Amino acid sequence: MRIRIIYKFLLVIGIFSLFPLIWLGTNLLKKSEGWIKTPVKELHLNIIEDISSNILLQIEGYEELAEGLNLFITSVGDMRMRYTYMDLIIKTRPEITGVSIIDRSGNEVVKVSRNNNVLGKIPQKIIGHIVRNKSGLFFENDIVRFLYNPGNYIISFEIDRNIFSDRVRLKKIGRGSVFIFDDEKKIIYASFNPPVDEKLIAFLLNKGEIKGLVDIGAAGVFETEIEGFKFVGAVSCLKAFSLCAGSIQPLGDVYLYVDLARKQAIFVIVVVSIFSALASYFL
C-alpha cells in the first residue's frame, strides 16, 4: 500500500512539474516569433536593395552602350555602316532584341530587330520623360525598353524581359512576391504567388506603411494587415528613373517553423505524460 502511495505522490509531482515546462516552452516559442521576424525583414530589405542595385547597373551598362552608338552615328555618315553597327549590338548582346533611332515625336525612323523590323511609335508621355531625364527603363508586354536621349534623337534598346528578370535577380520569397512599380504606383512587373495577387499589391501601394517610403524615395521594411491577414515586405526606389522595387510575404510563412516546433513540443509533453502515468500505475 505504501508503494502505491509513493508512486501516486511521484505521479502528482511529475504532472505538476510539467506545468512550468509547458509555460516555459510556450513563452520561448512566442518570443521566437519576434526573433524570427527581424531577420526575415532584413532578408526582404537586402533582396529588394539588391534588385534595385542590379537595375541601376543594367541601366548604366545600357547608357554606355547607347553613348557608343551615338558616337558612331555622329562620326560615321554611311547608313549601311550604321545598320551594321546596330546589328552588331544585337548579335553580341543576347538580351537585346532590337535597336532603333527615334525622333523627338516618338516615331522610329531606323530600326534593326531580331524579331520585327516594322517601325513603331513611342507614346509621347514616355518621350517627355526621356527629354527631361535623358534615360529611362520602360516595361512593355514581353520586352523591357531602354531609351537614351543624346540630344537630337532618342536611342532605343528592346530587351528580352525574361533575360532582364534573371539579370536583376527578380525572384519569389517563400509564398510572397517581388514586384516593380512606377512613380504612379502602377505595377509594371510582378511574380504573383497566391495569396498575393495584383489586386492585393495595388491595394498595398496606397497604404500608409509603404506610401510614405515611396513618396520620399526611401528604402525600408514594412509590416501591414490586409483583410485580416498580416504581411511583411520591403521597398526600395530609384527616384531618378521613376522606378521602385518591392516585396511582400504572408507573415504566416515566417511563423511556419515556429508553429511546427510548437506542435512537436506539445506532442512530446503529451507522450511523456502518458508514459509517466502508465509507469506509475503499473509499477
Side-chain angles (χ1 to χ4, degrees), residues 89-185:
I89 290 175
I90 294 174
K91 288 179 178 177
T92 56
R93 299 291 292 266
E95 82 277 17
I96 297 178
T97 60
V99 180
S100 59
I101 305 300
I102 302 169
D103 63 24
R104 306 281 285 192
S105 298
N107 300 303
E108 288 183 316
V109 292
V110 178
K111 183 175 183 178
V112 178
S113 174
R114 193 177 296 159
N115 304 318
N116 182 8
N117 285 318
V118 177
L119 299 178
K121 183 177 177 63
I122 307 301
Q124 198 59 44
K125 181 181 177 181
I126 293 177
I127 298 300
H129 175 90
I130 295 303
V131 170
R132 292 191 306 271
N133 300 284
K134 193 169 184 179
S135 66
L137 204 62
F138 305 91
F139 291 70
E140 306 173 10
N141 300 322
D142 59 343
I143 68 166
V144 178
R145 187 183 296 276
F146 171 79
L147 296 175
Y148 179 79
N149 174 26
N152 296 325
Y153 49 84
I154 295 167
I155 295 172
S156 168
F157 296 148
E158 294 179 4
I159 305 157
D160 184 278
R161 189 164 178 154
N162 292 327
I163 298 177
F164 180 84
S165 299
D166 290 340
R167 290 196 173 181
V168 300
R169 298 178 185 174
L170 290 171
K171 56 187 176 182
K172 297 177 181 178
I173 306 175
R175 288 193 303 136
S177 296
V178 170
F179 51 94
I180 297 174
F181 57 99
D182 60 21
D183 55 353
E184 294 181 350
K185 298 184 177 64

Side-chain angles (χ1 to χ4, degrees), residues 17-241:
S17 67
L18 290 173
F19 288 109
L21 181 64
I22 294 170
W23 179 84
L24 181 63
T26 302
N27 276 273
L28 283 174
L29 287 170
K30 195 170 184 179
K31 287 182 179 179
S32 68
E33 292 180 355
W35 298 335
I36 290 173
K37 191 191 298 182
T38 299
V40 167
K41 285 183 176 180
E42 290 177 356
L43 172 65
H44 274 263
L45 185 59
N46 289 337
I47 288 175
I48 293 308
E49 287 188 324
D50 184 54
I51 290 172
S52 292
S53 297
N54 289 333
I55 291 174
L56 186 59
L57 285 173
Q58 292 296 312
I59 290 174
E60 289 173 349
Y62 295 133
E63 282 181 343
E64 290 181 8
L65 192 62
E67 286 171 0
L69 175 57
N70 177 55
L71 182 62
F72 187 87
I73 290 173
T74 54
S75 58
V76 178
D78 190 332
M79 281 302 298
R80 287 179 300 178
M81 292 294 293
R82 291 178 178 178
Y83 272 105
T84 301
Y85 191 95
M86 293 166 69
D87 186 56
L88 184 63
I89 290 175
I90 294 174
K91 288 179 178 177
T92 56
R93 299 291 292 266
E95 82 277 17
I96 297 178
T97 60
V99 180
S100 59
I101 305 300
I102 302 169
D103 63 24
R104 306 281 285 192
S105 298
N107 300 303
E108 288 183 316
V109 292
V110 178
K111 183 175 183 178
V112 178
S113 174
R114 193 177 296 159
N115 304 318
N116 182 8
N117 285 318
V118 177
L119 299 178
K121 183 177 177 63
I122 307 301
Q124 198 59 44
K125 181 181 177 181
I126 293 177
I127 298 300
H129 175 90
I130 295 303
V131 170
R132 292 191 306 271
N133 300 284
K134 193 169 184 179
S135 66
L137 204 62
F138 305 91
F139 291 70
E140 306 173 10
N141 300 322
D142 59 343
I143 68 166
V144 178
R145 187 183 296 276
F146 171 79
L147 296 175
Y148 179 79
N149 174 26
N152 296 325
Y153 49 84
I154 295 167
I155 295 172
S156 168
F157 296 148
E158 294 179 4
I159 305 157
D160 184 278
R161 189 164 178 154
N162 292 327
I163 298 177
F164 180 84
S165 299
D166 290 340
R167 290 196 173 181
V168 300
R169 298 178 185 174
L170 290 171
K171 56 187 176 182
K172 297 177 181 178
I173 306 175
R175 288 193 303 136
S177 296
V178 170
F179 51 94
I180 297 174
F181 57 99
D182 60 21
D183 55 353
E184 294 181 350
K185 298 184 177 64
K186 178 184 177 183
I187 302 166
I188 51 181
Y189 176 89
S191 57
F192 296 126
N193 196 12
V196 179
D197 56 18
E198 186 172 3
K199 182 181 177 182
L200 187 142
I201 294 177
F203 180 76
L204 170 73
L205 294 181
N206 290 298
K207 290 207 67 173
E209 294 90 338
I210 190 172
K211 188 175 182 296
L213 293 171
V214 174
D215 289 344
I216 62 175
V221 296
F222 62 87
E223 186 177 332
T224 187
E225 185 171 331
I226 301 174
E227 296 180 355
F229 295 97
K230 293 183 177 180
F231 296 88
V232 65
V235 63
S236 178
C237 294
L238 298 170
K239 291 294 284 185
F241 299 99

